[in-house]
Amino acid sequence: LDLLHSEMVSQMDDAVNAKDFKTAADLEKKLAPLKEALESKRPLTRSVLESRIAEVQTQLDDAVARKAFQECAPLQEKLEDLVKKREDLPTLDELKDAVHQAEKNVSDAAARRDFAAAASLQAALDNAKQRLEDACRAENGSSDNDSPTVDEATEHGFESRADLEVAIAEASTSIDEAISKRQFDKATKFQAELERLENLRPSLPSIQEIESELEKLKADMEEAIRTKNFKKAELLHLEVDKVEEKLQEEKSKMPSTTEESPVEQSSPQFVNENGETIIFESRFNLEKEIDRFKSLVQNAARSKNFKEASRYQRFLEKLEDLKPLLLTAQELVEKLNEVKKDMDEAIERKDFEKA
């Protein structure tokens, strides 16, 4: 049918070029049922549906312009039937959004350790992915390169490398605990889980890998601007925004570390959950931040978001470790008294060097 259709279209074009309009009109009449037969054999996708709607709309507008009102009623009815089918044929973007939402639901359930819900939601995710793959094949004969069907980063329930590293640390701790209790069967299971988690690392890029990707995208964007390929530059700019957002999210989920400031080493530093560096000048400010994180831990635990509670708890422990660096007034007095006592004892022993 495709070959016959192509041949007839070619013959009609030749007739038009030869100004043999009668032959062209006859061929056009024969092409109409042939085109309908071809369309009926094609799987009905959203793009096919939209092309049919546009075609019928054009025919209807032409009939109205020619005042052929007898033709208008059946064309209007056909148009309305086609429009109704939009509800059953979502666009590729709508299908991708459905996949992303299903992935988020699975990830949230896994984070809450609600594995029964995660298993149920995984079935919904598989169904959403299958619908997207079917639509991609019907539209293009292959899946869209941007399709989340190949997104390994959320298929296994982890949205970031930081979340994965937390799970790896927990699995490692579970192994140690099982071995200490001589529960070797459990230790074997935990070891298998640890190996599975470690094998996921390549699918979740680290901060350094994301930064390298971002650097390359920016260089490509600058090159596109230099060569005045502004369409490509716009696409790269959108990609840069996505990667920068991903980088910021990954940084915010990394455990905080305290570093010595090159300017003022006596003031302890802390990187909070948003990736912001805070310098504590007093114990009062430190205690305020400790109270804030205690509240975050309690709220997360109350809402059964245990993974988030665990993350905030690690920040809280880092803050608690800073207390010896910022003593209270009472602690300073006690420290001073201890030093004075040691000095007096050294003087009594005539250990003047130590004194």
Side-chain angles (χ1 to χ4, degrees), residues 4 15 26 55 61 73 83-84 127 129 169 198 200 211 221-222 239 272 283 292 313 354:
L4 180 59
D26 291 340
E55 185 178 348
D61 293 342
V83 169
K84 285 180 183 177
N127 180 59
K129 287 184 175 182
E198 288 177 339
L200 296 178
E211 287 175 338
M221 183 176 69
E222 291 299 326
E239 192 64 26
N272 66 14
R283 179 65 172 265
R292 187 175 76 84
Q313 181 62 37
K354 182 177 180 180

Side-chain angles (χ1 to χ4, degrees), residues 61-297:
D61 293 342
D62 179 62
V64 171
R66 291 185 288 107
K67 297 185 179 179
F69 300 118
Q70 288 183 341
E71 298 176 18
C72 292
L75 286 171
Q76 181 64 40
E77 185 177 348
K78 186 176 180 180
L79 180 63
E80 290 173 358
D81 289 340
L82 289 171
V83 169
K84 285 180 183 177
K85 291 181 179 179
R86 281 175 170 162
E87 297 176 4
D88 300 322
L89 291 168
T91 64
L92 288 179
D93 286 339
E94 290 169 344
L95 288 170
K96 288 177 185 178
D97 289 342
V99 169
H100 283 305
Q101 184 58 50
E103 285 176 338
K104 183 179 183 300
N105 293 340
V106 172
S107 179
D108 290 346
R112 298 192 306 270
R113 297 292 190 270
D114 189 352
F115 299 115
S120 174
L121 291 166
Q122 182 64 44
L125 172 58
D126 293 341
N127 180 59
K129 287 184 175 182
Q130 189 60 53
R131 288 191 69 191
L132 176 57
E133 288 180 353
D134 291 344
C136 286
R137 278 195 294 269
E139 293 281 6
N140 309 316
S142 63
S143 293
D144 190 331
N145 288 335
D146 294 329
S147 169
T149 57
V150 294
D151 185 358
E152 297 175 354
T154 52
E155 237 177 46
H156 36 59
F158 296 102
E159 294 183 348
S160 72
R161 179 66 169 267
D163 290 340
L164 175 61
E165 293 299 334
V166 169
I168 288 173
E170 290 174 353
S172 183
T173 301
S174 298
I175 292 171
D176 294 339
E177 290 176 355
I179 291 173
S180 68
K181 296 176 183 177
R182 297 184 178 278
Q183 296 173 338
F184 299 114
D185 289 343
K186 284 188 176 181
T188 301
K189 291 179 181 178
F190 289 137
Q191 181 62 40
E193 175 65 8
L194 177 61
E195 291 173 359
R196 184 187 75 82
L197 292 171
E198 288 177 339
N199 288 335
L200 296 178
R201 278 175 169 151
S203 65
L204 288 162
S206 64
I207 287 178
Q208 292 76 17
E209 290 167 342
I210 296 174
E211 287 175 338
S212 296
E213 180 188 0
L214 183 60
E215 188 177 340
K216 183 179 183 304
L217 283 170
K218 286 183 176 180
D220 291 343
M221 183 176 69
E222 291 299 326
E223 178 62 20
I225 293 172
R226 189 184 67 78
T227 57
K228 293 184 170 57
N229 189 347
F230 298 116
K231 185 175 181 181
K232 182 179 179 181
E234 182 183 4
L235 293 173
L236 287 167
H237 178 66
L238 294 173
E239 192 64 26
V240 164
D241 288 344
K242 288 180 183 177
V243 176
E244 284 182 336
E245 183 179 347
K246 183 179 178 183
L247 178 62
Q248 184 59 37
E249 181 181 354
E250 189 71 34
K251 283 183 175 180
S252 72
K253 291 187 176 183
M254 289 300 292
S256 65
T257 56
T258 56
E259 300 175 355
E260 286 191 339
S261 168
V263 177
E264 188 168 344
Q265 297 181 6
S266 61
S267 299
Q269 296 183 7
F270 171 75
V271 181
N272 66 14
E273 75 278 19
N274 297 319
E276 301 166 341
T277 300
I278 300 174
I279 299 175
F280 295 109
E281 301 291 348
S282 67
R283 179 65 172 265
F284 175 77
N285 291 333
L286 175 60
E287 291 292 347
K288 279 182 64 178
E289 190 70 354
I290 287 174
D291 289 340
R292 187 175 76 84
F293 269 94
K294 283 181 178 178
S295 178
L296 289 173
V297 171

Side-chain angles (χ1 to χ4, degrees), residues 25-68:
D26 291 340
L27 287 168
E28 187 177 27
K29 288 179 182 178
K30 293 177 182 178
L31 273 171
L34 183 58
K35 186 175 181 182
E36 286 186 9
L38 276 172
E39 290 292 340
S40 66
K41 291 187 176 295
R42 287 183 64 189
L44 186 58
T45 64
R46 183 59 175 262
S47 63
V48 172
L49 177 64
E50 292 299 332
S51 68
R52 291 183 185 177
I53 289 173
E55 185 178 348
V56 173
Q57 183 66 59
T58 300
Q59 292 173 1
L60 179 59
D61 293 342
D62 179 62
V64 171
R66 291 185 288 107
K67 297 185 179 179

Side-chain angles (χ1 to χ4, degrees), residues 325-339:
L325 303 178
L326 289 168
L327 302 178
T328 63
Q330 181 62 36
E331 289 170 341
L332 286 169
V333 170
E334 291 173 358
K335 185 73 173 175
L336 180 60
N337 289 337
E338 286 178 11
V339 172

